[in-house]
Amino acid sequence: MKLIDGKMTAAAIKEEIKAEVEQMIEAGMKRPHLAAVLVGHDGGSEAYVKNKVIACEKCGFKSSLIRLEENTTEEELLDCIRQLNEDADVDGFIVQLPLPKHINEQKVINTIDYRKDVDGIHPMNAGRMALGLPSFISATPLGIITLMKRYNIPTSGKKCVVLGRSNIVGKPMAQLMLQKEHGDATVTICHSHSTTLKQECLEADIIIAAIGRPNFVTADMVKDGAIVIDVGTTRVADPTAKNGYRLNGDVKFDEVAPKCEYITPVPGGVGPMTICSLMKNTLSAAKKEIYE
Ligand code: BQF
């Protein structure tokens, strides 16, 4: 069993980004600028946005955090997004999800200028990605692909099972694993209503668990020598932790790990790579690598 160290890999990539930013500044270009919009005070969202601001500092980016109250109306949020779309200093921005229930998330996403959509969730980017065209790629799937490439994990022709079908992780992850230029794998997507989920997993060379149910993947679902990627980040209360909670993965790590060739831990696996891929996308946006 080999552990995939996402924290270390992400730190190395952020160093590479920082070096490139320094060269850009020397060449007279402006500093890449990521803005984040946070609506309300959800504990998880606060922590995630903080991680993004810290990562910007590590990469030498400018960052702006726009805080809106929980009771912000949909129209007020859309106005904020339109301002960021127009702001020439902002290269890319994200709206931290999930949003309060009174706001239509899809309407918000559709309002983001796709050229600044560094989360890769606008239909233009999601569609172009699915077609294999240049686009911003959703940060978690991009982070996982990057991690497997850095660890030289063979994926071509392998059986890959993706657990979960969200627009942000499951669907784009399956698309990337399918594409010749990325995973080049045989891909199965399973979800809460899949009757053959356990059998599919048992046959899989690679399992990517993104269902958001702690400890869902157990040893009896995993074949010997499998590669297991754990996307789960459920926050569970833990009085012994310094911030009062800990992160729980979708994989029952202790019993699954001994069966694996490679496995990602939680924390320190996919999470840091998600943040680092957002930085990569922001650098691409600043360099106008994809649009314009
Ligand atoms: C780590 C996220 C669910 C819903 C909305 C590092 C993050 C997490 C874990 C992080 C996540 C999860 C983010 C670790 C961003 C990943 O050390 O293991 C970083 O900040 N994430 C988000 O922005 O929105 C979410 C999960």
Side-chain angles (χ1 to χ4, degrees):
M1 186 274 283
K2 284 168 278 188
L3 210 55
I4 301 179
D5 189 339
K7 193 172 175 177
M8 182 198 69
T9 307
I13 293 172
K14 282 181 281 186
E15 283 294 332
E16 293 167 18
I17 294 173
K18 186 193 170 140
E20 192 172 339
V21 168
E22 277 164 11
Q23 287 188 336
M24 286 166 66
I25 303 292
E26 272 175 41
M29 292 173 71
K30 85 172 198 48
R31 197 171 283 286
H33 181 184
L34 174 71
V37 182
L38 175 58
V39 183
H41 299 275
D42 171 74
S45 294
E46 289 273 0
Y48 299 146
V49 162
K50 193 174 159 197
N51 289 343
K52 293 168 192 181
V53 169
I54 292 171
C56 281
E57 285 164 18
K58 292 246 161 74
C59 293
F61 295 175
K62 176 177 173 184
S63 70
S64 305
L65 174 54
I66 296 139
R67 287 179 168 277
L68 299 176
E69 275 314 312
E70 179 77 29
N71 61 6
T72 299
T73 65
E74 185 176 282
E75 201 47 46
E76 283 167 341
L77 177 56
L78 295 182
D79 275 334
C80 171
I81 292 169
R82 291 182 194 112
Q83 275 183 30
L84 290 168
N85 287 343
E86 295 300 314
D87 187 338
D89 192 60
V90 172
D91 296 297
F93 66 94
I94 62 136
V95 178
Q96 184 62 45
L97 302 178
L99 290 167
K101 285 184 194 43
H102 64 277
I103 297 174
N104 180 333
E105 227 163 68
Q106 195 56 52
K107 213 163 156 183
V108 166
I109 292 168
N110 294 347
T111 304
I112 299 171
D113 184 333
Y114 64 85
R115 293 165 297 186
K116 295 191 177 188
D117 169 37
V118 284
D119 258 346
I121 55 176
H122 186 282
M124 178 69 96
N125 285 309
R128 288 179 60 99
M129 191 279 283
L131 296 174
L133 299 171
S135 67
F136 292 113
I137 298 174
S138 187
T140 300
L142 179 58
I144 292 169
I145 291 285
T146 305
L147 211 44
M148 291 197 290
K149 284 198 179 124
R150 289 234 169 191
Y151 274 81
N152 292 314
I153 293 171
T155 57
S156 181
K158 303 287 185 193
K159 277 194 180 189
C160 173
V161 167
V162 176
L163 299 177
R165 54 176 157 183
S166 72
N167 288 342
I168 296 185
V169 182
K171 278 187 223 166
M173 188 72 241
Q175 284 290 352
L176 288 176
M177 286 308 288
L178 177 62
Q179 285 175 14
K180 200 172 188 172
E181 330 21 70
H182 295 287
D184 196 30
T186 303
V187 181
T188 303
I189 307 175
C190 294
H191 50 79
S192 51
H193 292 118
S194 299
T195 54
T196 59
L197 188 145
K198 188 177 167 183
Q199 292 101 293
E200 306 291 349
C201 286
L202 266 172
E203 288 186 14
D205 302 305
I206 304 165
I207 298 175
I208 303 176
I211 22 175
R213 282 209 250 160
N215 302 322
F216 180 85
V217 177
T218 47
D220 60 326
M221 296 165 71
V222 179
K223 80 169 176 188
D224 273 315
I227 288 152
V228 174
I229 309 290
D230 191 349
V231 186
T233 44
T234 307
R235 283 158 58 97
V236 292
D238 181 354
T240 68
K242 55 175 181 286
N243 40 13
Y245 71 90
R246 66 190 155 82
L247 289 180
N248 216 303
D250 286 352
V251 177
K252 206 164 187 180
F253 185 89
D254 291 349
E255 62 174 57
V256 171
K259 300 187 82 175
C260 296
E261 185 183 9
Y262 279 104
I263 186 166
T264 61
V266 174
V270 172
M273 290 303 295
T274 295
I275 304 297
C276 142
S277 297
L278 175 65
M279 301 298 120
K280 263 275 184 209
N281 282 344
T282 303
L283 182 63
S284 289
K287 291 163 73 183
K288 307 222 182 297
E289 278 181 341
I290 294 158
Y291 300 111
E292 272 185 352

